[in-house]
Amino acid sequence: MTFRAILIEKDDQGYRAGLQNLDDSALPEGNVTVRVAYSTLNYKDGLAITGKSPVVRKFPMVPGVDLVGTVEDSSDPDWRVGDQVVLNGWGVGETHWGGLAQRARLKGEWLVPLPEAFTPEQAMAIGTAGYTAMLCVMALERHGVRPDQGEVVVTGAAGGVGSVAVALLAKLGYTVAAVTGRPQESDYLKGLGASTVLDRAELSAPGKPLGKERWAGAVDTVGSHTLANVCAQTKYRGTVAACGLAGGMDFPSTVAPFILRGVTLAGIDSVMCPRAERLLAWQRLAKDLDPTKLAAITHTIGLSQALDAGAQVLAGQVRGRVVVDVNA
């Protein structure tokens, strides 16, 4: 059997990504084979496809950190033929062939069941971005951030993680301030539940070690000066959930917010997150994410279109989530 996939290669001719027909014998080792229905394009996938950052650690590689599909073959006792499954992270698309293909062979321990509340396409509208957003919300809750304590700010709000975070927080009763560099997205963000929309220029320049206390909590997808300024303006004993680096990997801050205001900086890793917490995050998404919001957040493309869309994601030209129909 053959299947279509985006394949990234690196050799004497350089780094390149292209759509290819591959044989099943090329699939990597694993105890579960999945017929993929949909994948997604995340920031990390854009980096992999374009080669802008050394995300891919093994060649050749099929990118795609997310997938949803149906089990076709399994020697794992937890999964049977016909089960619908979701995968997020675990190094797929980096060290193990990922979801931007019609077939995938994986470790059963990486999979979670598709929640009954979502169709396969909706599950990928959520994807790693939405699952990460839920992990951020859970971290804020775990550290005691409540809706009655004041605004929660979301940076990079028009992106994938940000869009879902805004929708989740609003549905849970929080007052949300959405930060974006795209003022034309104000109506979109308010439609997701944001109460106010701020220009990212307010936070992206170097700032003071401590600023006026503004937010009870934060979800930051940007890093660098933005994260530093968010921490400096978080209220006493507030919490900042940091999950992204769209603005840079650096953190030009001081210890002042942490030792003078007791601010918590909670790091969010979605790639190697333990399975029990993944299952809880997906259960919470099924309960706390309004499925009607997904249509506004998402647009769907075919597998061949993913090559160009990867660069668009990196350039910040994509609103919300990109779902990839690998069979289109």
Side-chain angles (χ1 to χ4, degrees):
M1 294 179 64
T2 62
F3 62 96
R4 290 196 310 155
I6 290 176
L7 192 71
I8 298 172
E9 299 174 280
K10 184 180 180 182
D11 52 29
D12 293 341
Q13 299 176 31
Y15 187 104
R16 59 194 181 278
L19 191 60
Q20 296 194 27
N21 286 317
L22 302 175
D23 191 87
D24 271 14
S25 61
L27 287 168
E29 292 184 0
N31 55 4
V32 180
T33 302
V34 176
R35 182 174 72 253
V36 181
Y38 296 95
S39 185
T40 67
L41 270 184
N42 297 285
Y43 193 83
K44 187 179 287 185
D45 300 318
L47 292 173
I49 289 171
T50 61
K52 296 290 186 182
S53 182
V55 168
V56 178
R57 301 187 183 97
K58 185 178 179 181
F59 297 91
M61 178 58 56
V62 173
V65 304
D66 291 321
L67 65 84
V68 63
T70 304
V71 173
E72 285 194 329
D73 183 71
S74 174
S75 59
D76 186 310
D78 290 335
W79 303 108
R80 296 181 297 178
V81 173
D83 286 344
Q84 290 190 297
V85 294
V86 175
L87 181 138
N88 310 111
W90 292 117
V92 298
E94 300 174 71
T95 59
H96 190 97
W97 282 18
L100 287 170
Q102 293 175 317
R103 290 169 69 76
R105 186 167 292 143
L106 309 154
K107 292 184 179 180
E109 64 201 64
W110 295 344
L111 304 172
V112 298
L114 172 67
E116 292 183 3
F118 302 124
T119 67
E121 190 170 5
Q122 287 175 327
M124 287 297 95
I126 297 167
T128 283
Y131 147 66
T132 302
M134 189 73 248
L135 291 176
C136 290
V137 172
M138 289 163 58
L140 296 183
E141 293 174 337
R142 191 162 56 245
H143 287 91
V145 178
R146 303 188 311 271
D148 62 359
Q149 293 175 328
E151 278 189 315
V152 172
V153 67
V154 177
T155 66
V161 176
S163 293
V164 180
V166 170
L168 283 168
L169 288 164
K171 188 171 186 292
L172 289 167
Y174 291 88
T175 302
V176 183
V179 180
T180 182
R182 292 178 270 172
Q184 68 273 20
E185 302 292 9
S186 291
D187 289 344
Y188 162 74
L189 291 167
K190 289 181 178 179
L192 294 178
S195 296
T196 57
V197 178
L198 306 175
D199 191 314
R200 71 178 173 200
E202 291 188 34
L203 297 171
S204 59
K208 298 178 181 178
L210 281 178
K212 180 181 178 181
E213 294 180 62
R214 298 176 69 178
W215 300 298
V219 173
D220 178 68
T221 71
V222 178
S224 192
H225 292 291
T226 297
L227 176 58
N229 286 321
V230 166
C231 290
Q233 297 177 48
T234 295
K235 291 181 178 182
Y236 182 73
R237 303 209 74 174
T239 297
V240 178
C243 65
L245 46 69
M249 289 186 67
D250 60 321
F251 182 44
S253 183
T254 72
V255 298
F258 313 114
I259 65 172
L260 298 180
R261 289 186 181 158
V263 170
T264 295
L265 179 57
I268 306 299
D269 165 54
S270 62
V271 177
M272 304 304 289
C273 180
R275 191 168 187 272
E277 194 166 348
R278 289 170 183 267
L279 289 168
L280 179 57
W282 277 100
Q283 290 166 8
R284 288 288 307 275
L285 284 161
K287 174 174 171 281
D288 295 325
L289 180 61
D290 183 351
T292 63
K293 293 287 196 295
L294 290 174
I297 291 172
T298 310
H299 72 279
T300 301
I301 63 175
L303 188 59
S304 62
Q305 297 171 282
L307 292 166
D308 290 334
Q312 294 167 3
V313 168
L314 294 190
Q317 298 171 347
V318 174
R319 169 206 281 181
R321 301 283 295 128
V322 180
V323 173
V324 181
D325 183 346
V326 300
N327 298 299

